[in-house]
Amino acid sequence: MMYRLAENKLNDFLAALAKTEKLYLPVKDDSSGAASNFAANYKEWSEGTEYADCLNTSRSAKDFFFPQTENLFELKMEGKKIEVIDTRKEHEDFIIFGVRACDVQSFAVLDNVYLKQQPVDTYYKNRRDHATIIAMACAKPAQTCFCQNLGIDAANPGSKDGAVDVRGWKKDGSYYFEAVSEKGKALLAKVSACGLAEDAGAEKAVEEAKAAIKAEVAKLPIKMPDNAIFDEKNLKTVFNAKVWGELSETCLACGTCTFVCPTCQCYDIRDFDTGSGIRRYRCWDSCMYSDFTKMSAGQPRLTQLERFRQRFMHKLVYYPSYYNGMSGCVGCGRCLAKCPISMNIVKVAKALSAELENKEGK
Ligand code: SF4
Ligand code: SF4
């Protein structure tokens, strides 16, 4: 079912959504120092909050399901007695508005790791089950975008692997929304009094909006090399490529690329002494750090070259070979915009591809 909403009714629509459940949406945030395409972050809606219709958020939407830090449980100690306290709370239902196609696909990448393996990550699942996702097609993709190289349709978010509840488009002073799931249908039915109306011309307008987006996307400059070179059969050749040395030489190991990435999913588990016990929590970690996965037996990757290679091998080779070819990168362009030395997955993939092609050509 397709609905139309006049652009000047958007705030009424958002207010109506926020009355049903907590609503989070991209809000302008210059404080992040982000490139203009990412000068927004998700905030909870309150009266007066304005939707920032920029390309994407500086921090990805993965934070909703996999927050930067999260308490797991507490241990309370009294003498020799230790009590284990489950600190998990059942989450309230919430809505995420304005998720772009790349971030929608990132949910599928994370779901494979956290939901489709045993044991299921119940902390992640708890958040995931309570979310309603309203995705927005990208009217103005940026020069750093390359989701199209990975089979993701910016004009039709959620049409690949990641699921959405509602899809939206903006065209000529109107928003158009399509309820995709039962959850989405129920939600739009609840808020239809705010100016949202079924529209006979909506389908045509949406088709035109999609065609315009596809035309913009076709002009984007980034072209990732053919996935086939990263096939599992090339694993050793890619792993042993000489170019890793040169590529990793200037990496500062700052970890920015992993923290902004919507598909990076590694975390560390730590204990905090509360004075009367221990709080065990997890927090994001980065394979770019020298103490990542360090254990009593030592550090598995002693050099920055090895750590740098791990990040890109994981995205380009290990993840796809483990999950039926699904790319571990969704082409959001955040690492392209944020890396202080302008290193990124596209440069790495191109350099590897060039080295492999040279080898084959000899
Ligand atoms: S953001 Fe750039 S410099 Fe920092 S760890 Fe990633 S590749 Fe290295
Ligand atoms: S590797 Fe870079 S472009 Fe790919 S999903 Fe992560 S941040 Fe986005």
Side-chain angles (χ1 to χ4, degrees):
M1 193 180 294
M2 285 279 189
Y3 294 87
R4 189 178 84 83
L5 178 81
E7 195 176 342
N8 62 7
K9 292 278 178 195
L10 181 69
N11 285 339
D12 296 348
F13 174 61
L14 296 173
L17 286 174
K19 273 193 192 140
T20 66
E21 293 166 21
K22 272 192 179 171
L23 168 69
Y24 296 89
L25 72 169
V27 173
K28 204 164 188 297
D29 181 6
D30 296 326
S31 65
S32 64
S36 58
N37 295 324
F38 296 98
N41 269 314
Y42 285 98
K43 296 258 161 60
E44 188 183 340
W45 185 92
S46 60
E47 196 63 47
T49 304
E50 279 186 31
Y51 167 56
D53 188 16
C54 61
L55 175 74
N56 214 334
T57 50
S58 178
R59 291 177 61 142
S60 82
K62 84 172 172 189
D63 296 29
F64 287 106
F65 307 125
F66 175 43
Q68 191 164 1
T69 59
E70 175 165 44
N71 291 338
L72 300 176
F73 59 85
E74 286 188 12
L75 299 173
K76 199 171 162 200
M77 286 173 278
E78 274 177 26
K80 289 187 176 170
K81 212 175 120 210
I82 299 178
E83 190 188 348
V84 180
I85 304 167
D86 187 348
T87 51
R88 266 176 297 187
K89 291 191 189 95
E90 187 59 30
H91 269 273
E92 291 173 48
D93 289 342
F94 63 102
I95 302 166
I96 321 173
F97 180 87
V99 186
R100 301 297 187 188
C102 52
D103 280 8
V104 169
Q105 178 67 15
S106 81
F107 301 154
V109 174
L110 298 176
D111 286 356
N112 274 340
V113 177
Y114 288 132
L115 299 182
K116 298 196 178 158
Q117 304 226 40
Q118 291 300 327
V120 164
D121 187 312
T122 51
Y123 297 87
Y124 176 88
K125 185 173 186 303
N126 186 5
R127 292 189 157 87
R128 201 74 175 86
D129 287 348
H130 286 278
T132 301
I133 297 164
I134 304 182
M136 288 300 295
C138 298
K140 289 186 203 129
Q143 301 289 297
T144 46
C145 294
F146 59 101
C147 70
Q148 75 283 6
N149 290 185
L150 303 163
I152 297 164
D153 187 352
N156 214 8
S159 55
K160 195 170 160 59
D161 306 297
V164 296
D165 298 296
V166 176
R167 268 186 207 118
W169 297 264
K170 190 177 173 189
K171 186 176 186 299
D172 300 337
S174 293
Y175 286 94
Y176 294 92
F177 294 101
E178 175 189 22
V180 182
S181 69
E182 290 306 317
K183 225 185 204 182
K185 283 176 196 162
L187 181 67
L188 292 192
K190 271 190 227 166
V191 295
S192 56
C194 66
L196 195 68
E198 283 183 52
D199 188 296
E203 266 179 43
K204 186 168 174 280
V206 167
E207 284 315 310
E208 286 168 8
K210 285 184 187 172
I213 295 167
K214 283 178 198 287
E216 284 301 312
V217 164
K219 289 186 222 155
L220 294 175
I222 294 177
K223 303 282 174 255
M224 277 283 270
D226 185 353
N227 277 357
I229 69 148
F230 301 114
D231 191 275
E232 203 178 352
K233 70 178 176 357
N234 286 335
L235 191 151
K236 279 195 179 159
T237 319
V238 177
F239 186 89
N240 291 320
K242 287 200 174 54
V243 80
W244 288 118
E246 195 186 310
L247 288 168
S248 62
E249 212 168 28
T250 48
C251 172
L252 305 170
C254 65
T256 303
C257 50
T258 48
F259 291 160
V260 297
C261 179
T263 65
C264 273
Q265 68 239 202
C266 292
Y267 59 84
D268 192 12
I269 293 183
R270 297 181 179 208
D271 289 344
F272 172 73
D273 186 348
T274 60
S276 59
I278 297 293
R279 180 174 304 144
R280 181 155 293 178
Y281 67 100
R282 66 175 168 189
C283 54
W284 292 352
D285 204 348
S286 170
C287 53
M288 292 296 206
Y289 291 163
S290 57
D291 62 352
F292 179 72
T293 63
K294 190 173 180 181
M295 289 165 283
S296 51
Q299 163 61 283
R301 299 181 198 97
L302 290 170
T303 63
Q304 194 56 26
L305 183 154
E306 290 166 288
R307 297 189 280 270
F308 181 96
R309 178 172 59 193
Q310 167 62 24
R311 176 165 198 270
F312 295 103
M313 285 293 288
H314 187 231
K315 301 270 181 230
L316 296 167
V317 186
Y318 305 147
Y319 188 97
S321 63
Y322 204 72
Y323 293 109
N324 277 331
M326 185 188 285
S327 170
C329 167
V330 295
C332 72
R334 286 185 178 89
C335 64
L336 281 76
K338 303 284 182 74
C339 171
I341 58 153
S342 300
M343 181 48 65
N344 60 68
I345 194 162
V346 181
K347 267 190 194 167
V348 171
K350 283 186 174 168
L352 290 167
S353 168
E355 182 171 329
L356 263 66
E357 273 167 20
N358 275 343
K359 271 191 189 139
E360 279 166 17
K362 275 180 191 166

